[in-house]
Amino acid sequence: MLDDFFVRALVAGVGLALTTGPLGCFIIWRRMAYFGDTMAHSALLGVALSLLFDLNLMLAVFVVAAGVSLLLLVLQRRQALSADALLGILSHATLAIGLVMVAFMTWVRIDLVAFLFGDILAVTRSDIDLIWGGGILVLFAIVYLWRPLLASTVNPELAEAEGLQPERARLFFMLLMAVVIAIAMKIVGIMLITSLLIIPAATARRFSSTPEMMAVFASLIGALAVVGGLFGSLHYDTPSGPSIVVAALVLFLLSLLPVRRRQAEAQAKAEGIRR
């Protein structure tokens, strides 16, 4: 018989994985892995601000992540630096500022390891409600924005010509990322959020013949990684958050094994669609 805290961790982790799957696909398609890291690192600045001003933690993380997204858009339009250089500056700057602010707040005692690497075993029923409620809203938003997001990913100029407003779709995508990072921080931590976004999507890419299929498979693979990682953590007494990422990595490595020719052809077809 499983303990209540373990069951809560399973429910929360699966709910998060179902949400991160489709978002991770767009990160893979748009080659925005570094952007995911930047958003995740900015979460620590949100933590510091929530402690300094006594704000709700998830709200503060969302506001900071959304602010970093908007700042990135503004700086990109000025074309002073390349996108990867801007991401590198924002990523390390927000992480460093957050750490310095926490160090100055000597009256506050916090467990930085829990924020950096998460503590999924500590989730409460209210956390589960927030994860599933927020996740359902994010998934509905992705379904609603699917066509403009996909079109702007394949060909932004064509999407603009068709009146799909790719810049607005990109902004909404960044805001959805901010929501998911605010939700995911407590579960897998700041340093591991990007892994849960990218690895299941990269694994699903090998077996998918359409973008929609890849999004579904990414969610299912992420959920499987959560279940496998938590049971592995229970059996081997390892940290839960990193164990989930290791389980996702194992699934990815298994996906690299030789597959039948029909599966290879399906992958080639999917690559043609995304190009």
Side-chain angles (χ1 to χ4, degrees):
M1 193 69 178
L2 298 175
D3 293 323
D4 288 343
F5 71 89
F6 192 81
V7 174
R8 289 196 298 270
L10 283 172
V11 173
V14 168
L16 179 62
L18 295 177
T19 307
T20 57
L23 283 174
C25 292
F26 281 105
I27 290 176
I28 293 290
W29 295 333
R30 290 169 173 252
R31 295 177 175 86
M32 294 176 65
Y34 205 3
F35 170 74
D37 269 333
T38 302
M39 297 280 282
H41 289 174
S42 70
L44 188 59
L45 179 57
V47 171
L49 291 175
S50 73
L51 294 172
L52 182 62
F53 297 107
D54 194 23
L55 302 173
N56 178 272
L57 178 61
M58 288 190 178
L59 178 61
V61 171
F62 168 75
V63 169
V64 170
V68 169
S69 300
L70 294 174
L71 180 59
L72 176 63
L73 288 176
V74 171
L75 293 176
Q76 281 183 327
R77 287 179 178 176
R78 293 190 175 185
Q79 298 181 344
L81 289 172
S82 62
D84 59 336
L86 291 173
L87 287 171
I89 293 171
L90 292 175
S91 174
H92 300 299
T94 52
L95 181 62
I97 293 171
L99 287 170
V100 170
M101 288 181 64
V102 169
F104 273 112
M105 289 185 283
T106 55
W107 64 91
V108 176
R109 295 177 62 89
I110 63 171
D111 183 6
L112 279 179
V113 174
F115 284 115
L116 293 175
F117 298 104
D119 189 5
I120 191 172
L121 299 178
V123 297
T124 62
R125 292 184 182 274
S126 61
D127 291 330
I128 292 175
D129 293 339
L130 184 61
I131 290 166
W132 278 88
I136 290 172
L137 290 176
V138 169
L139 290 176
F140 272 120
I142 291 174
V143 171
Y144 179 75
L145 296 169
W146 182 264
R147 185 164 176 261
L149 279 173
L150 190 60
S152 62
T153 299
V154 175
N155 192 322
E157 291 79 13
L158 183 59
E160 183 73 32
E162 293 180 356
L164 295 176
Q165 297 179 308
E167 281 298 319
R168 189 179 70 172
R170 184 185 182 194
L171 175 60
F172 278 117
F173 172 73
M174 289 180 171
L175 293 178
L176 292 177
M177 280 283 296
V179 171
V180 170
I181 285 172
I183 294 173
M185 184 185 63
K186 185 172 184 178
I187 294 181
V188 292
I190 294 167
M191 305 302 293
L192 303 178
I193 291 174
T194 313
S195 301
L196 194 58
L197 283 163
I198 294 175
I199 299 177
T203 306
R205 187 174 190 171
R206 188 167 175 81
F207 304 107
S208 307
S209 58
T210 65
E212 293 79 8
M213 185 183 294
M214 180 173 165
V216 173
F217 280 2
S219 293
L220 296 178
I221 291 169
L224 182 60
V226 168
V227 174
L230 284 175
F231 275 100
S233 173
L234 180 65
H235 183 73
Y236 295 107
D237 193 25
T238 54
S240 53
S243 296
I244 292 172
V245 178
V246 169
L249 176 62
V250 170
L251 293 175
F252 173 73
L253 294 176
L254 290 175
S255 75
L256 298 180
L257 296 176
V259 294
R260 291 176 300 180
R261 183 173 180 177
R262 187 174 65 179
Q263 291 174 319
E265 291 175 351
Q267 182 193 3
K269 182 179 177 182
E271 291 290 343
I273 292 172
R274 286 189 288 273
R275 289 174 185 172

